[in-house]
Amino acid sequence: RVRMTKRLMKDALLELMEKYPINRITVTAICETADVHRTTFYKHYADPLQLLEDIENEIIEQMPATPYQCGINDPDRFAEVNTEFYDYVKENARAFRVLLIDSTDNRFYNRILEAIQGRYFDNKLDRMPTRDSFLYMYTVYGALGMLIEWLRHDFPVSSKEYVRMVYEFSLRCLGPDGVKALKAP
């Protein structure tokens, strides 16, 4: 029952964020949209920003993979792991669109970058020469930009085809020296 109530409030917030910036969304509007009482809202959240943070945390925690989790040196592994990630994005398209495209701030964008760096790089960037770490981050920002365009255009190619493009563009960007840097311990 609690999970259902929270889901209703999360869906209501996302629906409202399709029309209004988060700073213009009230608890009353969320409760009316979700058809829950204010007291119910306040049992779980202090304000709409805390609800938004809960949505973001849930999305990031449930992400099955990211484009740079593994496999840049193994095209089959890269395709397998990353297709799962992009399928997850498609399954949660509304949330990703609202948080990455419709939102008036870069909060979720920055959290996704942070998740990629923190969870999947395993401090590898700190051990890379500056040029290599810049090149690698350039590729990550590019892949995230591609993801936004893929969302914006309502998935014009399949997850599998999208992963092939990310892989191809990443290799072009990184080049042989960049790929070697990723192999370094």
PDB file of all heavy atoms in Angstrom, residues 23-47:
ATOM      1  N   ASN A  23       9.975  24.333  -8.922  1.00  0.00           N
ATOM      2  CA  ASN A  23       9.763  25.385  -7.919  1.00  0.00           C
ATOM      3  C   ASN A  23       8.356  25.984  -7.958  1.00  0.00           C
ATOM      4  O   ASN A  23       7.986  26.750  -7.079  1.00  0.00           O
ATOM      5  CB  ASN A  23      10.825  26.480  -8.037  1.00  0.00           C
ATOM      6  CG  ASN A  23      10.787  27.208  -9.359  1.00  0.00           C
ATOM      7  OD1 ASN A  23      10.061  26.818 -10.278  1.00  0.00           O
ATOM      8  ND2 ASN A  23      11.591  28.245  -9.470  1.00  0.00           N
ATOM      9  N   ARG A  24       7.563  25.621  -8.964  1.00  0.00           N
ATOM     10  CA  ARG A  24       6.174  26.092  -9.052  1.00  0.00           C
ATOM     11  C   ARG A  24       5.168  25.003  -8.703  1.00  0.00           C
ATOM     12  O   ARG A  24       3.966  25.218  -8.774  1.00  0.00           O
ATOM     13  CB  ARG A  24       5.893  26.634 -10.450  1.00  0.00           C
ATOM     14  CG  ARG A  24       6.632  27.961 -10.702  1.00  0.00           C
ATOM     15  CD  ARG A  24       6.177  28.710 -11.933  1.00  0.00           C
ATOM     16  NE  ARG A  24       4.743  28.775 -12.098  1.00  0.00           N
ATOM     17  CZ  ARG A  24       4.134  28.646 -13.284  1.00  0.00           C
ATOM     18  NH1 ARG A  24       4.848  28.450 -14.370  1.00  0.00           N
ATOM     19  NH2 ARG A  24       2.833  28.718 -13.378  1.00  0.00           N
ATOM     20  N   ILE A  25       5.650  23.846  -8.329  1.00  0.00           N
ATOM     21  CA  ILE A  25       4.759  22.730  -8.006  1.00  0.00           C
ATOM     22  C   ILE A  25       4.553  22.668  -6.499  1.00  0.00           C
ATOM     23  O   ILE A  25       5.512  22.614  -5.727  1.00  0.00           O
ATOM     24  CB  ILE A  25       5.325  21.397  -8.544  1.00  0.00           C
ATOM     25  CG1 ILE A  25       5.417  21.471 -10.076  1.00  0.00           C
ATOM     26  CG2 ILE A  25       4.467  20.224  -8.101  1.00  0.00           C
ATOM     27  CD1 ILE A  25       6.131  20.305 -10.708  1.00  0.00           C
ATOM     28  N   THR A  26       3.308  22.662  -6.092  1.00  0.00           N
ATOM     29  CA  THR A  26       2.972  22.644  -4.673  1.00  0.00           C
ATOM     30  C   THR A  26       2.586  21.242  -4.212  1.00  0.00           C
ATOM     31  O   THR A  26       2.229  20.381  -5.024  1.00  0.00           O
ATOM     32  CB  THR A  26       1.788  23.588  -4.387  1.00  0.00           C
ATOM     33  OG1 THR A  26       0.635  23.089  -5.089  1.00  0.00           O
ATOM     34  CG2 THR A  26       2.091  25.023  -4.834  1.00  0.00           C
ATOM     35  N   VAL A  27       2.636  21.073  -2.915  1.00  0.00           N
ATOM     36  CA  VAL A  27       2.174  19.821  -2.319  1.00  0.00           C
ATOM     37  C   VAL A  27       0.698  19.609  -2.651  1.00  0.00           C
ATOM     38  O   VAL A  27       0.274  18.493  -2.981  1.00  0.00           O
ATOM     39  CB  VAL A  27       2.415  19.813  -0.793  1.00  0.00           C
ATOM     40  CG1 VAL A  27       1.742  18.613  -0.135  1.00  0.00           C
ATOM     41  CG2 VAL A  27       3.908  19.828  -0.487  1.00  0.00           C
ATOM     42  N   THR A  28      -0.071  20.675  -2.612  1.00  0.00           N
ATOM     43  CA  THR A  28      -1.497  20.594  -2.932  1.00  0.00           C
ATOM     44  C   THR A  28      -1.708  20.061  -4.347  1.00  0.00           C
ATOM     45  O   THR A  28      -2.539  19.169  -4.570  1.00  0.00           O
ATOM     46  CB  THR A  28      -2.173  21.973  -2.772  1.00  0.00           C
ATOM     47  OG1 THR A  28      -1.982  22.412  -1.426  1.00  0.00           O
ATOM     48  CG2 THR A  28      -3.642  21.918  -3.111  1.00  0.00           C
ATOM     49  N   ALA A  29      -0.947  20.569  -5.299  1.00  0.00           N
ATOM     50  CA  ALA A  29      -1.083  20.120  -6.687  1.00  0.00           C
ATOM     51  C   ALA A  29      -0.729  18.645  -6.815  1.00  0.00           C
ATOM     52  O   ALA A  29      -1.405  17.893  -7.533  1.00  0.00           O
ATOM     53  CB  ALA A  29      -0.209  20.962  -7.605  1.00  0.00           C
ATOM     54  N   ILE A  30       0.325  18.217  -6.127  1.00  0.00           N
ATOM     55  CA  ILE A  30       0.722  16.803  -6.174  1.00  0.00           C
ATOM     56  C   ILE A  30      -0.388  15.938  -5.584  1.00  0.00           C
ATOM     57  O   ILE A  30      -0.782  14.921  -6.168  1.00  0.00           O
ATOM     58  CB  ILE A  30       2.051  16.574  -5.412  1.00  0.00           C
ATOM     59  CG1 ILE A  30       3.200  17.281  -6.130  1.00  0.00           C
ATOM     60  CG2 ILE A  30       2.347  15.075  -5.263  1.00  0.00           C
ATOM     61  CD1 ILE A  30       4.484  17.369  -5.325  1.00  0.00           C
ATOM     62  N   CYS A  31      -0.917  16.359  -4.447  1.00  0.00           N
ATOM     63  CA  CYS A  31      -1.972  15.580  -3.774  1.00  0.00           C
ATOM     64  C   CYS A  31      -3.241  15.505  -4.624  1.00  0.00           C
ATOM     65  O   CYS A  31      -3.864  14.442  -4.714  1.00  0.00           O
ATOM     66  CB  CYS A  31      -2.272  16.170  -2.399  1.00  0.00           C
ATOM     67  SG  CYS A  31      -0.892  15.974  -1.253  1.00  0.00           S
ATOM     68  N   GLU A  32      -3.608  16.610  -5.247  1.00  0.00           N
ATOM     69  CA  GLU A  32      -4.799  16.604  -6.110  1.00  0.00           C
ATOM     70  C   GLU A  32      -4.589  15.686  -7.315  1.00  0.00           C
ATOM     71  O   GLU A  32      -5.484  14.921  -7.681  1.00  0.00           O
ATOM     72  CB  GLU A  32      -5.137  18.018  -6.569  1.00  0.00           C
ATOM     73  CG  GLU A  32      -5.729  18.887  -5.484  1.00  0.00           C
ATOM     74  CD  GLU A  32      -5.927  20.342  -5.902  1.00  0.00           C
ATOM     75  OE1 GLU A  32      -5.615  20.708  -7.070  1.00  0.00           O
ATOM     76  OE2 GLU A  32      -6.371  21.123  -5.042  1.00  0.00           O
ATOM     77  N   THR A  33      -3.431  15.756  -7.915  1.00  0.00           N
ATOM     78  CA  THR A  33      -3.141  14.940  -9.092  1.00  0.00           C
ATOM     79  C   THR A  33      -3.072  13.455  -8.730  1.00  0.00           C
ATOM     80  O   THR A  33      -3.556  12.600  -9.476  1.00  0.00           O
ATOM     81  CB  THR A  33      -1.829  15.400  -9.761  1.00  0.00           C
ATOM     82  OG1 THR A  33      -1.925  16.794 -10.064  1.00  0.00           O
ATOM     83  CG2 THR A  33      -1.534  14.624 -11.030  1.00  0.00           C
ATOM     84  N   ALA A  34      -2.491  13.155  -7.571  1.00  0.00           N
ATOM     85  CA  ALA A  34      -2.341  11.763  -7.141  1.00  0.00           C
ATOM     86  C   ALA A  34      -3.573  11.234  -6.415  1.00  0.00           C
ATOM     87  O   ALA A  34      -3.667  10.037  -6.162  1.00  0.00           O
ATOM     88  CB  ALA A  34      -1.132  11.637  -6.222  1.00  0.00           C
ATOM     89  N   ASP A  35      -4.468  12.146  -6.068  1.00  0.00           N
ATOM     90  CA  ASP A  35      -5.671  11.793  -5.300  1.00  0.00           C
ATOM     91  C   ASP A  35      -5.301  11.178  -3.942  1.00  0.00           C
ATOM     92  O   ASP A  35      -5.780  10.109  -3.566  1.00  0.00           O
ATOM     93  CB  ASP A  35      -6.575  10.859  -6.103  1.00  0.00           C
ATOM     94  CG  ASP A  35      -7.988  10.805  -5.527  1.00  0.00           C
ATOM     95  OD1 ASP A  35      -8.392  11.768  -4.829  1.00  0.00           O
ATOM     96  OD2 ASP A  35      -8.679   9.788  -5.753  1.00  0.00           O
ATOM     97  N   VAL A  36      -4.400  11.881  -3.247  1.00  0.00           N
ATOM     98  CA  VAL A  36      -4.021  11.510  -1.879  1.00  0.00           C
ATOM     99  C   VAL A  36      -4.156  12.736  -0.983  1.00  0.00           C
ATOM    100  O   VAL A  36      -4.159  13.874  -1.457  1.00  0.00           O
ATOM    101  CB  VAL A  36      -2.579  10.945  -1.794  1.00  0.00           C
ATOM    102  CG1 VAL A  36      -2.421   9.684  -2.620  1.00  0.00           C
ATOM    103  CG2 VAL A  36      -1.546  11.970  -2.183  1.00  0.00           C
ATOM    104  N   HIS A  37      -4.248  12.517   0.306  1.00  0.00           N
ATOM    105  CA  HIS A  37      -4.366  13.608   1.267  1.00  0.00           C
ATOM    106  C   HIS A  37      -2.996  14.200   1.575  1.00  0.00           C
ATOM    107  O   HIS A  37      -1.973  13.513   1.490  1.00  0.00           O
ATOM    108  CB  HIS A  37      -5.021  13.117   2.561  1.00  0.00           C
ATOM    109  CG  HIS A  37      -6.442  12.711   2.375  1.00  0.00           C
ATOM    110  ND1 HIS A  37      -7.464  13.619   2.299  1.00  0.00           N
ATOM    111  CD2 HIS A  37      -7.011  11.485   2.225  1.00  0.00           C
ATOM    112  CE1 HIS A  37      -8.605  12.978   2.124  1.00  0.00           C
ATOM    113  NE2 HIS A  37      -8.350  11.673   2.060  1.00  0.00           N
ATOM    114  N   ARG A  38      -3.015  15.455   1.958  1.00  0.00           N
ATOM    115  CA  ARG A  38      -1.770  16.143   2.319  1.00  0.00           C
ATOM    116  C   ARG A  38      -1.049  15.415   3.457  1.00  0.00           C
ATOM    117  O   ARG A  38       0.169  15.325   3.468  1.00  0.00           O
ATOM    118  CB  ARG A  38      -2.043  17.587   2.728  1.00  0.00           C
ATOM    119  CG  ARG A  38      -2.421  18.493   1.573  1.00  0.00           C
ATOM    120  CD  ARG A  38      -2.817  19.896   2.072  1.00  0.00           C
ATOM    121  NE  ARG A  38      -1.720  20.600   2.722  1.00  0.00           N
ATOM    122  CZ  ARG A  38      -0.801  21.316   2.077  1.00  0.00           C
ATOM    123  NH1 ARG A  38      -0.840  21.419   0.758  1.00  0.00           N
ATOM    124  NH2 ARG A  38       0.145  21.938   2.743  1.00  0.00           N
ATOM    125  N   THR A  39      -1.814  14.920   4.419  1.00  0.00           N
ATOM    126  CA  THR A  39      -1.184  14.208   5.537  1.00  0.00           C
ATOM    127  C   THR A  39      -0.434  12.971   5.041  1.00  0.00           C
ATOM    128  O   THR A  39       0.630  12.635   5.569  1.00  0.00           O
ATOM    129  CB  THR A  39      -2.220  13.802   6.603  1.00  0.00           C
ATOM    130  OG1 THR A  39      -3.274  13.069   5.978  1.00  0.00           O
ATOM    131  CG2 THR A  39      -2.784  15.014   7.319  1.00  0.00           C
ATOM    132  N   THR A  40      -0.977  12.332   4.029  1.00  0.00           N
ATOM    133  CA  THR A  40      -0.297  11.170   3.432  1.00  0.00           C
ATOM    134  C   THR A  40       1.012  11.614   2.801  1.00  0.00           C
ATOM    135  O   THR A  40       2.052  10.963   2.970  1.00  0.00           O
ATOM    136  CB  THR A  40      -1.194  10.487   2.383  1.00  0.00           C
ATOM    137  OG1 THR A  40      -2.421  10.110   3.009  1.00  0.00           O
ATOM    138  CG2 THR A  40      -0.517   9.286   1.777  1.00  0.00           C
ATOM    139  N   PHE A  41       0.971  12.713   2.059  1.00  0.00           N
ATOM    140  CA  PHE A  41       2.192  13.232   1.448  1.00  0.00           C
ATOM    141  C   PHE A  41       3.246  13.479   2.528  1.00  0.00           C
ATOM    142  O   PHE A  41       4.386  13.023   2.420  1.00  0.00           O
ATOM    143  CB  PHE A  41       1.927  14.529   0.667  1.00  0.00           C
ATOM    144  CG  PHE A  41       3.161  15.096   0.027  1.00  0.00           C
ATOM    145  CD1 PHE A  41       3.517  14.739  -1.255  1.00  0.00           C
ATOM    146  CD2 PHE A  41       3.998  15.962   0.729  1.00  0.00           C
ATOM    147  CE1 PHE A  41       4.678  15.229  -1.849  1.00  0.00           C
ATOM    148  CE2 PHE A  41       5.158  16.462   0.152  1.00  0.00           C
ATOM    149  CZ  PHE A  41       5.494  16.090  -1.144  1.00  0.00           C
ATOM    150  N   TYR A  42       2.855  14.190   3.595  1.00  0.00           N
ATOM    151  CA  TYR A  42       3.813  14.569   4.635  1.00  0.00           C
ATOM    152  C   TYR A  42       4.282  13.390   5.483  1.00  0.00           C
ATOM    153  O   TYR A  42       5.303  13.490   6.169  1.00  0.00           O
ATOM    154  CB  TYR A  42       3.245  15.689   5.495  1.00  0.00           C
ATOM    155  CG  TYR A  42       3.251  17.021   4.772  1.00  0.00           C
ATOM    156  CD1 TYR A  42       2.068  17.673   4.462  1.00  0.00           C
ATOM    157  CD2 TYR A  42       4.447  17.615   4.377  1.00  0.00           C
ATOM    158  CE1 TYR A  42       2.070  18.885   3.789  1.00  0.00           C
ATOM    159  CE2 TYR A  42       4.466  18.824   3.702  1.00  0.00           C
ATOM    160  CZ  TYR A  42       3.269  19.453   3.413  1.00  0.00           C
ATOM    161  OH  TYR A  42       3.283  20.652   2.738  1.00  0.00           O
ATOM    162  N   LYS A  43       3.613  12.266   5.429  1.00  0.00           N
ATOM    163  CA  LYS A  43       4.115  11.053   6.095  1.00  0.00           C
ATOM    164  C   LYS A  43       5.395  10.574   5.427  1.00  0.00           C
ATOM    165  O   LYS A  43       6.236   9.936   6.054  1.00  0.00           O
ATOM    166  CB  LYS A  43       3.083   9.923   6.016  1.00  0.00           C
ATOM    167  CG  LYS A  43       1.994   9.992   7.021  1.00  0.00           C
ATOM    168  CD  LYS A  43       1.104   8.764   6.856  1.00  0.00           C
ATOM    169  CE  LYS A  43      -0.151   8.907   7.685  1.00  0.00           C
ATOM    170  NZ  LYS A  43      -1.072   7.779   7.483  1.00  0.00           N
ATOM    171  N   HIS A  44       5.512  10.857   4.131  1.00  0.00           N
ATOM    172  CA  HIS A  44       6.624  10.324   3.350  1.00  0.00           C
ATOM    173  C   HIS A  44       7.655  11.369   2.916  1.00  0.00           C
ATOM    174  O   HIS A  44       8.834  11.041   2.768  1.00  0.00           O
ATOM    175  CB  HIS A  44       6.079   9.609   2.106  1.00  0.00           C
ATOM    176  CG  HIS A  44       5.104   8.541   2.432  1.00  0.00           C
ATOM    177  ND1 HIS A  44       5.470   7.330   2.991  1.00  0.00           N
ATOM    178  CD2 HIS A  44       3.745   8.483   2.305  1.00  0.00           C
ATOM    179  CE1 HIS A  44       4.399   6.584   3.184  1.00  0.00           C
ATOM    180  NE2 HIS A  44       3.343   7.256   2.769  1.00  0.00           N
ATOM    181  N   TYR A  45       7.202  12.595   2.699  1.00  0.00           N
ATOM    182  CA  TYR A  45       8.088  13.618   2.142  1.00  0.00           C
ATOM    183  C   TYR A  45       7.873  14.958   2.822  1.00  0.00           C
ATOM    184  O   TYR A  45       6.758  15.304   3.207  1.00  0.00           O
ATOM    185  CB  TYR A  45       7.833  13.785   0.628  1.00  0.00           C
ATOM    186  CG  TYR A  45       7.997  12.499  -0.129  1.00  0.00           C
ATOM    187  CD1 TYR A  45       6.878  11.793  -0.587  1.00  0.00           C
ATOM    188  CD2 TYR A  45       9.253  11.964  -0.382  1.00  0.00           C
ATOM    189  CE1 TYR A  45       7.022  10.595  -1.272  1.00  0.00           C
ATOM    190  CE2 TYR A  45       9.404  10.771  -1.064  1.00  0.00           C
ATOM    191  CZ  TYR A  45       8.282  10.092  -1.501  1.00  0.00           C
ATOM    192  OH  TYR A  45       8.423   8.908  -2.175  1.00  0.00           O
ATOM    193  N   ALA A  46       8.938  15.720   2.917  1.00  0.00           N
ATOM    194  CA  ALA A  46       8.845  17.060   3.515  1.00  0.00           C
ATOM    195  C   ALA A  46       8.337  18.085   2.509  1.00  0.00           C
ATOM    196  O   ALA A  46       7.661  19.038   2.880  1.00  0.00           O
ATOM    197  CB  ALA A  46      10.217  17.488   4.050  1.00  0.00           C
ATOM    198  N   ASP A  47       8.686  17.874   1.236  1.00  0.00           N
ATOM    199  CA  ASP A  47       8.317  18.836   0.196  1.00  0.00           C
ATOM    200  C   ASP A  47       8.492  18.195  -1.181  1.00  0.00           C
ATOM    201  O   ASP A  47       8.998  17.077  -1.280  1.00  0.00           O
ATOM    202  CB  ASP A  47       9.165  20.111   0.323  1.00  0.00           C
ATOM    203  CG  ASP A  47      10.660  19.847   0.271  1.00  0.00           C
ATOM    204  OD1 ASP A  47      11.102  18.923  -0.448  1.00  0.00           O
ATOM    205  OD2 ASP A  47      11.414  20.567   0.955  1.00  0.00           O
TER     206      ASP A  47
END
